[in-house]
Amino acid sequence: MAETAIERQANAASRRKMLRTMGTLAMAGLLAACQVVPKSNGPATPPPPDRPADDIGPGLPTDTDRHRVALLVPETGPNADVGTAIANATTMALLDSRTEKVRITTYDTALGAAAAARQAVADGNKLILGPLLSEDVAAVAPIARAAKVPVLSFSNDSSVAGNGVFIMGFVPGQSVERVVAYARGKGHVRFGALVPKNVYGDRSAAAFRTAVTEAGGTLVAVESYDRSATALSGAARRLASGGAMDAVLIADSGGTAIRAVPLIKSSGNKQILGTELWNTEASLGSNAAMRGAWFASVSDGLYGQLAGKYRTRFGKAPYRLASLGYDSVLLTVRIARDWKPGTSFPASRLLAADGFGGIDGIFRFNNRGIALRALEVSEVGAGGFRVVDPAPTKW
């Protein structure tokens, strides 16, 4: 197997101390759309990184044989476990692809995303993978743009995409559109929705309204709630009494759906619809009221294989977002075949009409830089999930 190269960033002691005063960034906003796989308590055993000494000067030695690619993720702070899982997955992708053309250096965004981006550019990286949070993307984008370095982010916030920034995260609107179209195809006509009062809920509601109209359905009602049991119950009861409907979307976690569904069905049986948030909650079927519900998400078939290999190598289960790190490397390796080391990354190739494939299935970027994904529809059953409409395998 070809030897791969992973470097870890080591800042000078004075700069490290200064950046720590900036504090760590909390996981918030759209990242709530991405659930995690429960982790084991076993120790992680990543291969030792090639870490430069603290007294190294700005910039890294010129590498004429490999492409310099920066990985911007949180390695410290409250989101360190997610960032580490993504970084570990990029290591696995490099090993699995057996590439000799790509060199990845990891930079800790918890010490300041803008500072990490400036260092990545100074070190000669021609492509940035990450960052994770939308606010970090906003901080990194102008720095990368000025240096003509494209950003391939793991965010699912479509508002930060464009002008050199591409997002690979699972955009909630796509899941909503897919499951509504499937439900309409199965004869459901009158739709309602229950959504939280946050960014995820707002965007899910907007996508829902559009999806119902485009599918030729009738929008009956959309009810929203804040994060209290009383507010959720009130919204569910209002929805149940708000008019005849035969399908209801719950744009929240499976746990929230379990509490709301009995109230929604109190005025008559309805087809329950969910989003990609449910794809890691296989125990939903243990609740009888949830059985028969449909939701759309990326396929978990290949992810299951990745998770097994990850456990073997690192001693614990990965976060579900780790697949984004893996797929970002596969994409980079594909483009690197015809990319001359030391030259600018050919960002136009990210817009290839045939798209790319990876752990999460096929995807392609639209002209706004948003990853459009092929999604499957699953049904909740007593023994887990059953795919009722597979994801397309080609565009």
Side-chain angles (χ1 to χ4, degrees), residues 8-9 23-28 31 51 70-88 105-114 116-117 128-137 140 153-155 310 319 321:
R8 299 283 185 183
Q9 177 191 27
T24 55
L25 300 176
M27 183 79 72
L31 190 58
R51 187 182 295 274
L71 175 66
L72 271 60
V73 291
E75 293 187 293
T76 56
N79 303 321
D81 285 350
V82 183
T84 297
I86 292 173
N88 288 343
T105 307
T106 303
Y107 300 80
D108 187 0
T109 54
L111 300 177
I128 290 176
L129 306 180
L132 179 62
L133 304 180
S134 60
E135 57 263 39
D136 286 350
V137 179
V140 166
S153 168
F154 306 131
S155 171
Y310 188 103
Y319 279 80
L321 290 177

Side-chain angles (χ1 to χ4, degrees), residues 324-387:
L324 298 180
Y326 192 98
D327 285 355
S328 70
V329 172
L330 294 189
L331 180 159
T332 302
V333 170
R334 172 178 163 178
I335 292 178
R337 296 170 186 166
D338 302 311
W339 172 27
K340 183 179 179 181
T343 63
S344 298
F345 180 80
S348 61
R349 296 185 190 176
L350 292 173
L351 301 176
D354 58 344
F356 306 91
I359 295 298
D360 292 320
I362 62 172
F363 65 97
R364 62 183 177 184
F365 294 101
N366 64 14
N367 56 12
R368 291 181 55 203
I370 299 170
L372 305 178
R373 295 186 173 276
L375 305 179
E376 66 185 17
V377 178
S378 295
E379 182 177 273
V380 178
F385 302 148
R386 177 177 68 92
V387 176

